[in-house]
Amino acid sequence: MKCLPGETRCSGTCSKDAVNCHSHCLVSAWLLRLRKPAGDLVKLIQNYIDGSFVPGKQEFADINPADGTTIAKVTAADEAQVGGAVHAARLALHGEWGRLAVRERAARLHKVADAIEKRFDCFVQAEVADTGKPVSLASNLDIPRAAANFRVFADLVKMAGLESFQTETLDGANALNYAVRKPLGVVGIVTPWNLPLLLLTWKVAPALACGNTVVVKPSEETPATATLLSEAMQDAGIPHGVYNVVHGFGPGSAGEFLTQHPDVDAITFTGESKTGAAIMKAVAPTVKPISFELGGKNAAIVFADCNFEETISGLSDAVFLNTGQVCLCAERAYVERRIFSAFVEALKRKAERLHSGWPNDEETNLGPLISAQHRDKVLSYFRLAREEGATVVTGGGVPKFGDDRDHGFYVQPTIYTGLPETARCVKEEIFGPVCHIAPFDSEEEAVSMANDTKYGLAASIWTSDLKRGHRVAQQMNVGITWVNCWFLRDLRTPFGGAGLSGIGREGGMHSLNFYSELNNICIRL
Ligand code: NAD
Ligand code: 6OD
């Protein structure tokens, strides 16, 4: 693995491998961190605008959630630089990128996927350092999915057809209607920190496949892999200005500068519901297409006839994967009363066997939360649950390690029972490794409790009776329902949420339709 361009001092031509390079190379910094004491490896993560890495006007710290150390400084784009990125993206629409045939665009997107795979370890280490997630998760989910996002949408756009109609009007005229697909233009993409590269590429890949150019604003907590992706774009021959990255925060910073910018043609956003509301206000004056993937308070319904072992294993993932920081995680489980006690006991045992280790330890399957601020929020819900009358089955606090992890942002995997359905801990998204389990007596009651939420992202149903699986799944007021599985993804399927969980659907043709402007052409025959 060689040094990367884009750093303040590295030209990108350094011949040393990452571990031996002492220049200010982004990825080598993280690899070296594994061997050197903290504090001497502060690197600079820059914006990527019109094919160049540029420093911004203000710096902020990129913190490693596993031990609270600063792993890099990030330089935030000011309003003029965000405007510069939008301008570069506008010009690039009319350059080489705009003239490419669809098959050539698709070929370049495959090359982006190749470039991600070539730098696989760099991406994995960058994601692990930024998020504290277990290396096994970054290597098996986040980074492979990022490459897959480019491959799937590259292939799909080549196959995509559009509807046509032969029309006979009442007065006997004949016409042929057919639609053509054009890019929307400059797409602004704002993303969160929980699955940083996976969620960013989930939007960048279809946007580029449809011929758009993009300005992305990754989360301030996880700036690294979006920046590394710039280098994959360069490797793949994506022209300057097609992919731009601006760093910073939300209000009064790069997020707001981008979403308010009048020359951005569409906004696609993943994050909290209340941020979605703020962005809706920001885009309203210029009336542009929006796609929102927002929060959730997802339910799992477990029937007594489920395969018990498989359900415990599936639910353990659904509650604790990525330390519960997946929008699809189940924070509410409804379990048929006959198996309630056995189920609570088995999930407790599973939770207590999770290993909260260093992220780069292969045995680790529970990392820290993303930040001190987020941990404060999760701990405040742990306190609230007690005040609301919960029984703490397990967890509810902070683990003690006796090493530098005590400066990180870990919490214990936590299970509660005994809360009323009206409790705030049952109603509000916590976004941590926590679940409330309640018993039910009838299918109707389970459906009614699961649907009693303002969110509507995902649900999972666990039963051996497939007829019941279909019946219950079809009554869920959500965008995605899994039966006897969770987070099993086919990227061609619609993805999104109802209610507070989002607006619109992405995935497969839904993404291609969002990222395209359709022009219907009617020809009188
Ligand atoms: P967040 O809303 O705080 O931040 C997301 C992004 O929005 C960040 O880049 C942030 O800087 C930016 N932002 C914040 N305020 C802004 C503003 N006023 N204008 C423009 N940009 C702004 O979310 P988060 O804490 O990063 O992520 C966690 C949340 O995301 C959870 O609620 C989770 O459920 C949700 N999420 C949803 C999905 C989904 O697919 N539905 C996926 C992942 C995460
Ligand atoms: O798998 C996906 O495509 C996707 N958008 C997952 C979202 C996970 C939320 O944290």
Side-chain angles (χ1 to χ4, degrees):
M1 181 197 322
K2 300 289 183 241
C3 278
L4 300 170
E7 302 308 305
T8 42
R9 297 202 201 155
C10 181
S11 66
T13 55
C14 171
S15 61
K16 293 181 176 161
D17 67 36
V19 173
N20 294 317
C21 172
H22 295 280
S23 76
H24 280 208
C25 193
L26 184 72
V27 170
S28 62
W30 283 309
L31 295 179
L32 285 165
R33 229 193 92 45
L34 302 176
R35 295 155 186 242
K36 288 181 135 195
D40 57 347
L41 290 164
V42 175
K43 310 297 164 189
L44 192 65
I45 296 179
Q46 305 194 67
N47 304 291
Y48 182 68
I49 299 174
D50 202 14
S52 298
F53 289 93
V54 290
K57 302 287 184 281
Q58 275 186 332
E59 287 180 10
F60 61 94
D62 183 13
I63 304 288
N64 182 345
D67 59 10
T69 54
T70 297
I71 44 176
K73 285 283 166 75
V74 190
T75 168
D78 66 9
E79 192 162 7
Q81 288 177 313
V82 173
V86 172
H87 182 64
R90 170 78 44 210
L91 292 182
L93 272 175
H94 306 297
E96 181 199 355
W97 186 245
R99 291 191 297 274
L100 286 183
V102 174
R103 71 172 180 287
E104 178 56 23
R105 266 202 324 260
R108 302 246 183 133
L109 295 187
H110 273 291
K111 286 188 181 157
V112 176
D114 294 342
I116 293 172
E117 285 160 358
K118 198 176 94 195
R119 294 160 182 266
F120 189 81
D121 292 342
C122 302
F123 276 103
V124 167
Q125 283 305 317
E127 208 72 301
V128 167
D130 258 4
T131 59
K133 69 176 65 197
V135 66
S136 55
L137 188 58
S139 332
N140 292 316
L141 173 69
D142 295 74
I143 307 307
R145 246 307 289 280
N149 285 339
F150 283 100
R151 297 205 190 283
V152 165
F153 287 107
D155 289 345
L156 200 64
V157 76
K158 284 191 295 185
M159 310 280 293
L162 284 166
E163 55 202 357
S164 69
F165 299 96
Q166 180 139 6
T167 309
E168 201 178 311
T169 63
L170 288 179
D171 58 2
N174 269 309
L176 176 67
N177 284 276
Y178 68 96
V180 291
R181 188 183 292 286
K182 294 163 81 171
L184 286 171
V186 177
V187 178
I189 300 179
V190 181
T191 52
W193 44 258
N194 61 327
L195 304 168
L197 191 68
L198 185 160
L199 291 173
L200 183 116
T201 54
W202 171 242
K203 292 173 180 299
V204 170
L208 297 190
C210 293
N212 300 283
T213 58
V214 300
V215 179
V216 306
K217 209 300 279 174
S219 169
E220 54 274 28
E221 307 286 359
T222 52
T225 46
T227 312
L228 274 179
L229 186 61
S230 313
E231 312 208 358
M233 294 284 174
Q234 290 179 337
D235 283 5
I238 301 294
H240 293 174
V242 170
Y243 175 79
N244 304 275
V245 185
V246 291
H247 290 296
F249 299 82
S253 183
E256 191 175 285
F257 302 149
L258 180 61
T259 51
Q260 279 189 346
H261 200 291
D263 206 27
V264 169
D265 298 297
I267 292 288
T268 175
F269 166 71
T270 303
E272 276 199 46
S273 305
K274 68 174 186 319
T275 310
I279 292 178
M280 248 175 133
K281 263 195 193 158
V283 303
T286 46
V287 189
K288 54 191 64 161
I290 50 171
S291 172
F292 283 175
E293 296 179 338
L294 308 177
K297 187 75 183 178
N298 311 303
I301 301 180
V302 180
F303 289 96
D305 66 357
C306 71
N307 178 319
F308 194 81
E309 289 310 317
E310 286 176 12
T311 302
I312 289 294
S313 169
L315 249 288
S316 173
D317 282 348
V319 175
F320 300 119
L321 191 87
N322 208 36
T323 317
Q325 301 167 120
V326 178
C327 58
L328 308 160
C329 277
E331 290 191 0
R332 298 180 292 147
Y334 298 102
V335 179
E336 196 164 352
R337 198 176 296 276
R338 264 195 295 141
I339 60 163
F340 181 76
S341 303
F343 181 90
V344 171
E345 183 53 33
L347 197 64
K348 170 183 187 280
R349 277 201 304 275
K350 196 88 180 163
E352 290 172 352
R353 279 203 298 268
L354 290 170
H355 181 57
S356 279
W358 285 101
N360 265 310
D361 179 346
E362 287 287 345
E363 312 256 280
T364 298
N365 47 20
L366 194 75
L369 294 171
I370 190 69
S371 65
Q373 192 191 11
H374 188 52
R375 183 166 72 169
D376 287 348
K377 175 184 157 182
V378 171
L379 291 176
S380 77
Y381 276 103
F382 286 2
R383 282 192 298 276
L384 180 66
R386 288 187 172 92
E387 285 159 26
E388 290 185 312
T391 301
V392 185
V393 175
T394 187
V398 171
K400 288 278 166 283
F401 297 104
D403 59 28
D404 284 345
R405 281 171 295 172
D406 290 333
H407 305 297
F409 314 127
Y410 290 83
V411 294
Q412 293 169 328
T414 297
I415 298 173
Y416 293 119
T417 55
L419 286 171
E421 283 300 294
T422 50
R424 280 181 54 204
C425 289
V426 178
K427 289 282 172 259
E428 297 173 14
E429 183 186 49
I430 301 172
F431 218 53
V434 54
C435 185
H436 178 254
I437 313 180
F440 70 84
D441 294 302
S442 70
E443 189 177 302
E444 294 69 29
E445 188 193 9
V447 168
S448 154
M449 289 194 290
N451 277 338
D452 186 11
T453 169
K454 290 193 161 55
Y455 290 102
L457 188 56
S460 59
I461 319 291
W462 304 83
T463 176
S464 298
D465 178 349
L466 267 192
K467 259 193 172 170
R468 170 152 62 193
H470 284 287
R471 186 169 65 237
V472 174
Q474 290 179 25
Q475 293 175 75
M476 292 291 102
N477 297 332
V478 296
I480 307 131
T481 305
W482 282 285
V483 178
N484 296 329
C485 57
W486 176 78
F487 206 0
L488 200 166
R489 297 279 289 118
D490 179 326
L491 305 189
R492 297 167 299 182
T493 58
F495 185 97
L500 279 188
S501 293
I503 297 179
R505 294 291 182 274
E506 297 197 35
M509 288 305 298
H510 303 274
S511 295
L512 298 191
N513 288 338
F514 174 74
Y515 293 105
S516 306
E517 202 67 79
L518 300 187
N519 174 8
N520 185 70
I521 297 167
C522 175
I523 301 183
R524 191 181 176 109
L525 298 176

